[in-house]
Amino acid sequence: MKIIDNDLFRTLCERADDDPRRRTHHLLHDARDEPVQRMLIAVQPGTYFRPHRHSDPPKWELMLVLKGAAAWLGFDDDGRVTARHEAGAHRGAKGLEYPEGVWHALVCLAADTVLFECKQGPFTPTRPQDFAPWSPAEDDPRAGDTVRWMLRAQPGEKFEV
């Protein structure tokens, strides 16, 4: 049995706060080849989730906010925001599910945010062609500007950093 409690949240949030990427993962599944991948992700403001999609192989992605708040952005092929959804433990929306093949990114809206992610397995790393070509890589100096843009980006706005 795996217990998900406030002590685990606190530990994960501390690890995310200390991590240069400003996030950490805690796997709930036991093997990379399991048909359902489940994990907790603790995120801190400033973490950069590069816009990406899950098209090869095609996979949906379910995210729930267990603590804190986050916004999900959907994009078209040119980097225009098609949707913005904010969710949080104390907000009306608690999460969302992205269909396969949709460009998307997440931006953290509150310190010590904890997410639950569930998607189809087996685990496959995101392939280079599934990272948005119009977005900077995670190690690019413009990544911080991208996070700041995503904090305020609204539907109809085009990605320009």
Side-chain angles (χ1 to χ4, degrees):
M1 181 179 299
K2 298 172 185 172
I3 305 299
I4 301 168
D5 61 13
N6 288 330
D7 289 336
L8 177 58
F9 287 3
R10 187 172 26 265
T11 298
L12 293 174
C13 289
E14 288 170 0
R15 284 181 30 208
D17 201 38
D18 291 339
D19 188 277
R21 294 174 74 203
R22 309 286 294 150
R23 66 180 182 260
T24 191
H25 296 77
H26 178 79
L27 301 181
L28 297 170
H29 53 277
D30 295 318
R32 294 168 69 103
D33 62 347
E34 286 191 29
V36 179
Q37 305 283 295
R38 302 151 339 266
M39 71 184 82
L40 300 175
I41 306 170
V43 297
Q44 297 292 356
T47 191
Y48 175 51
F49 286 91
R50 185 177 180 187
H52 64 284
R53 62 184 176 187
H54 305 282
S55 69
D56 188 19
K59 295 183 180 188
W60 48 263
E61 183 176 60
L62 170 69
M63 297 280 267
L64 302 173
V65 179
L66 304 178
K67 182 178 188 288
W72 286 270
L73 301 173
F75 300 93
D76 66 15
D77 289 339
D78 296 321
R80 188 168 310 279
V81 178
T82 58
R84 179 187 180 95
H85 301 283
E86 295 187 6
H90 301 291
R91 296 180 183 219
K94 304 300 181 196
L96 62 99
E97 181 178 289
Y98 267 107
E100 55 197 35
V102 173
W103 295 112
H104 63 281
L106 174 143
V107 64
C108 179
L109 300 178
D112 297 335
T113 293
V114 178
L115 308 166
F116 170 75
E117 177 181 304
C118 179
K119 61 184 168 188
Q120 299 157 289
F123 172 77
T124 53
T126 303
R127 297 166 48 117
Q129 62 266 30
D130 275 341
F131 284 108
W134 37 262
S135 67
E138 192 172 323
D139 60 353
D140 187 300
R142 297 171 298 157
D145 292 334
T146 303
V147 171
R148 287 184 284 283
W149 178 83
M150 288 194 298
L151 283 168
R152 65 182 187 336
Q154 297 296 319
E157 295 180 15
K158 188 168 176 15
F159 183 89
E160 293 183 31
V161 174

